[in-house]
Amino acid sequence: MKLTTLGLALVVAFLLSELVTISNGISTSSLQQISSDSKYLTKEEHWFNQTLDHFSPYDHRTFGQRYYEFLDYFRFPDGPIFLKICGEAACSGIPNDYLSILAKKFGAAVVTLEHRYYGKSSPFKSLTTGNLKYLSSKQALFDLAAFRNFYQESLNAKLTRSNIDNPWFVFGVSYAGALSAWFRLKFPHLTCGSLASSAVVQAVYSFSEFDKQVGESAGPECKAALQEITQLVEARLASNGKELKALFGADELRNDGDFLYFVADAAVTAFQYGSPDKLCIPVVEAKKSGEDIVNAYATYVKEYYIKTFGVSVKTYDQENLKNTAVNGDTSDRLWWFQVCTEVAYFQVAPMNDSIRSSKVDTRYHLDLCRNVFGTGIYPDIDATNLYYGGTKIAGSKIVFTNGSQDPWRHASKQTSSPELPSYIASCHNCGHGADLRGCPQSPLVPEGDAKNCSSPDAIRKVREKIVEHIDLWLSQCQDLGRSSM
C-alpha cells in the first residue's frame, strides 16, 4: 500500500494502535493489504445478524449474513463509504474492478454484503419452495438498509462519536445494478447516489428483445451462421438426440427444452461478456469453408463456454434445479426462484428472424417454474414494475450505464434525464457491466482495465461521466452533513 501524504501516514499509525474489535461488527485491527489474488481487494469474511422478515412485526428471527470491507484507501475518518451490492451468486470477496480505482480517487472505504440465501448467507438448511418465501428483491433492499446503518453505527462506535453519517454511495451490476437503483429509490436518505450498471430495472415477461439484440451484436454473417446452427441442431435433435447431446458434452440434459436453452445461452455469453470473436470467427469460417458448422459450434461450447468460461451443464438440468440441499453452488435454483416469482426475463425466441430455437418459448419457462417449484409459482411482473416503476423509475441521483452489445440493456433505463443520467458505452465488445469490468467483462480484468475493449475511449468517456456524478453528489451530501439530499 502506497501512502503519499503525512495525513494518511498518521491514519495508518492510528489504526494500527487501535486493536479493537466491535462485537458483531467491524474488525479494525489494521488496514488490510489487497488480496494476494489480484481479482479481489479482499476475501476476508465478516458476519452480521440480519432480520429474516423485514415486513413482519411479529417474526424476530435472524440469520448470519456475510460481508466484506476494504479500508486501504479510506480517507479517515470522514471519507465516503462505497457499498458494492452483491447479486445472484455467492459473494467470495470484493472484486478488484474499476470500483477500486474510484475508491482510491475518492478516498472511500468499500463494503460488500452477500445477498440473502446465496453463498454462505442462507437462512435455512434446506431450500424448499416454502423456505424460499423470504427470497425477494424487497427483502434484499431492507437487508442493505439495515446493514448500512449497522456498519455506520459500528464505525461511529469505533471512533467514539454518535449521530454522524459518512457519505454513502451504492454500486451494482446487472440484478445488483437494479438493486442499486432501487435502493436509492426506496432509501434516498441513506445514500448520496447510485451507479446502476447494466441495471435490469424492467421486469419483462416475454423478453424477445434479448434475442434480437444477440442478432444485432453478432452482425449479418455470424447471425446467419447461428441461425443455420439452430436449424441443424433442431433437425439432429429429432433424428438422433442422444448423439447430438454427446457432441456438445451435454448428455445429462434429458429434457430437449433444457438442451436447446443451453445451446442458445452458450452463444449469448460471447456477446454479453465481451468475447464475440471467440464465437463468430470459428463458426463463420466453418460456414465459408463448407465444414460441419454444428461441429464447429460444439467445439466452441466445449472449449470456451464449458472449459474456459466455467459453465456447468447441470445448471440447465431442471432435475438439478429441484435440489433443495444447501451445499455446493445453489445460485441457479435461487435465481430461478426470483425469475419465476418476480422478474421473469423469459428469453424467448422472437416471432421472426430468431437465433434461438422457437421451442424456447414462454411455455417452456412457465413449465420450468411449475416443475421446479410447484404449482402456483409464476412471475408477477406487473406488481414488480408497479412497485419500482420499471424503466419509468422516478428516483434521483442514479446514473445508468449499459454496453452497446449487451442484450440485457433492453431491460435497463436507456433514456437520460438530468436526475437520472444514462450512458451507453459503444464498441464491438462492450457488454454487461463494461464500465466497471472493462473488456472482456468476464473473466474479471483487474481494475476493469479497458485496454482490450475495441474502443477504450468509449469506456473512458462513460467513466468520466460517472466520476463527475459521484463527485457532484458526494459534495452535495457533504455540504448537508448527511447521506442524502
Side-chain angles (χ1 to χ4, degrees):
M1 177 178 62
K2 295 181 179 178
L3 301 179
T4 57
T5 68
L6 176 60
L8 287 175
L10 290 173
V11 170
V12 174
F14 177 86
L15 287 178
L16 287 175
S17 69
E18 292 293 298
L19 301 178
V20 178
T21 300
I22 303 300
S23 177
N24 190 32
I26 306 169
S27 172
T28 59
S29 59
S30 70
L31 287 177
Q32 65 226 81
Q33 296 295 325
I34 292 179
S35 169
S36 57
D37 181 351
S38 64
K39 294 183 178 180
Y40 292 93
L41 296 178
T42 181
K43 299 178 76 172
E44 182 180 348
E45 298 175 353
H46 302 271
W47 293 90
F48 163 61
N49 283 335
Q50 184 62 267
T51 298
L52 175 63
D53 186 0
H54 295 285
F55 300 99
S56 171
Y58 312 109
D59 188 345
H60 302 295
R61 287 176 292 173
T62 63
F63 67 97
Q65 195 164 19
R66 182 166 57 165
Y67 75 93
Y68 303 87
E69 63 174 358
F70 182 73
L71 304 174
D72 281 31
Y73 305 142
F74 186 44
R75 189 182 67 245
F76 180 85
D78 59 353
I81 300 175
F82 288 172
L83 174 55
K84 174 69 178 292
I85 300 175
C86 269
E88 67 280 23
C91 195
S92 302
I94 301 178
N96 182 21
D97 57 16
Y98 184 66
L99 184 59
S100 66
I101 302 296
L102 293 173
K104 185 182 295 185
K105 178 179 180 61
F106 288 100
V110 184
V111 293
T112 288
L113 181 70
E114 186 169 61
H115 196 293
R116 59 169 50 210
Y117 284 84
Y118 290 87
K120 295 183 179 181
S121 299
S122 178
F124 299 101
K125 295 180 180 179
S126 175
L127 301 178
T128 62
T129 300
N131 282 345
L132 296 181
K133 65 182 293 186
Y134 306 104
L135 173 57
S136 70
S137 61
K138 299 178 185 68
Q139 295 280 6
L141 289 175
F142 270 84
D143 287 349
L144 292 165
F147 170 75
R148 182 259 186 228
N149 285 347
F150 150 79
Y151 193 89
Q152 183 66 69
E153 290 168 4
S154 298
L155 181 62
N156 287 346
K158 181 195 60 153
L159 298 174
T160 62
R161 66 185 190 184
S162 61
N163 299 320
I164 300 294
D165 263 3
N166 290 70
W168 285 68
F169 208 98
V170 291
F171 299 79
V173 179
S174 193
Y175 164 61
L179 289 176
S180 179
W182 295 338
F183 185 80
R184 171 64 191 174
L185 173 70
K186 297 298 183 180
F187 299 99
H189 57 295
L190 297 183
T191 180
C192 302
S194 155
L195 172 61
S197 175
S198 297
V200 285
V201 292
Q202 179 79 24
V204 186
Y205 192 63
S206 295
F207 196 8
S208 58
E209 292 89 350
F210 190 94
D211 191 82
K212 291 178 183 177
Q213 181 61 57
V214 172
E216 291 177 17
S217 298
E221 279 191 318
C222 187
K223 177 182 177 180
L226 293 173
Q227 288 176 322
E228 183 177 338
I229 288 167
T230 297
Q231 293 170 1
L232 292 171
V233 163
E234 286 183 335
R236 293 189 192 182
L237 188 61
S239 62
N240 195 340
K242 186 175 181 180
E243 182 180 293
L244 178 68
K245 291 175 183 179
L247 176 65
F248 280 84
D251 311 65
E252 62 198 90
L253 299 181
R254 288 170 290 179
N255 182 313
D256 288 351
D258 294 348
F259 175 72
L260 290 171
Y261 193 100
F262 162 72
V263 168
D265 230 20
V268 167
T269 297
F271 307 106
Q272 180 173 331
Y273 291 114
S275 298
D277 294 342
K278 290 187 180 296
L279 166 62
C280 288
I281 289 176
V283 298
V284 169
E285 287 182 352
K287 182 176 172 61
K288 286 181 177 179
S289 62
E291 298 174 20
D292 188 326
I293 195 171
V294 174
N295 279 343
Y297 184 63
T299 298
Y300 155 81
V301 171
K302 290 182 290 187
E303 293 301 316
Y304 177 72
Y305 190 52
I306 296 175
K307 187 176 179 180
T308 302
F309 198 76
V311 168
S312 173
V313 175
K314 71 177 183 180
T315 63
Y316 292 88
D317 184 358
Q318 292 184 39
E319 292 307 307
N320 175 67
L321 294 176
K322 292 179 181 179
N323 185 4
T324 61
V326 182
N327 53 35
D329 188 358
T330 59
S331 299
D332 298 298
R333 176 173 173 81
L334 297 172
W335 177 239
W336 270 110
F337 181 79
Q338 293 192 258
V339 165
C340 290
T341 54
E342 279 195 287
V343 292
Y345 305 136
F346 291 164
Q347 296 159 33
V348 300
M351 292 295 291
N352 301 298
D353 204 30
S354 68
I355 290 178
R356 67 185 54 221
S357 170
S358 60
K359 294 180 175 61
V360 183
D361 56 9
T362 303
R363 174 49 53 192
Y364 164 78
H365 290 85
L366 290 175
D367 286 347
L368 182 152
C369 292
R370 185 181 65 253
N371 181 37
V372 173
F373 300 109
T375 57
I377 299 296
Y378 64 92
D380 191 349
I381 66 162
D382 290 338
T384 300
N385 290 329
L386 180 65
Y387 188 74
Y388 295 120
T391 54
K392 296 179 181 179
I393 183 172
S396 65
K397 297 183 178 176
I398 306 168
V399 55
F400 290 89
T401 57
N402 285 282
S404 60
Q405 308 307 95
D406 182 15
W408 286 106
R409 70 185 178 95
H410 298 284
S412 185
K413 188 178 187 303
Q414 298 185 83
T415 56
S416 195
S417 64
E419 284 294 322
L420 299 171
S422 179
Y423 305 101
I424 295 178
S426 297
C427 72
H428 176 63
N429 57 346
C430 286
H432 208 54
D435 56 318
L436 286 178
R437 295 170 173 171
C439 298
Q441 289 78 61
S442 184
L444 187 140
V445 180
E447 297 186 341
D449 196 331
K451 67 180 180 181
N452 291 323
C453 298
S454 64
S455 176
D457 195 51
I459 302 296
R460 180 187 60 80
K461 289 179 179 178
V462 169
R463 287 176 172 175
E464 286 178 352
K465 292 295 184 182
I466 290 171
V467 169
E468 287 178 14
H469 292 300
I470 294 175
D471 195 26
L472 174 62
W473 297 340
L474 284 178
S475 67
Q476 290 174 341
C477 270
Q478 288 164 337
D479 288 344
L480 290 175
R482 52 185 287 185
S483 281
S484 67
M485 178 177 176

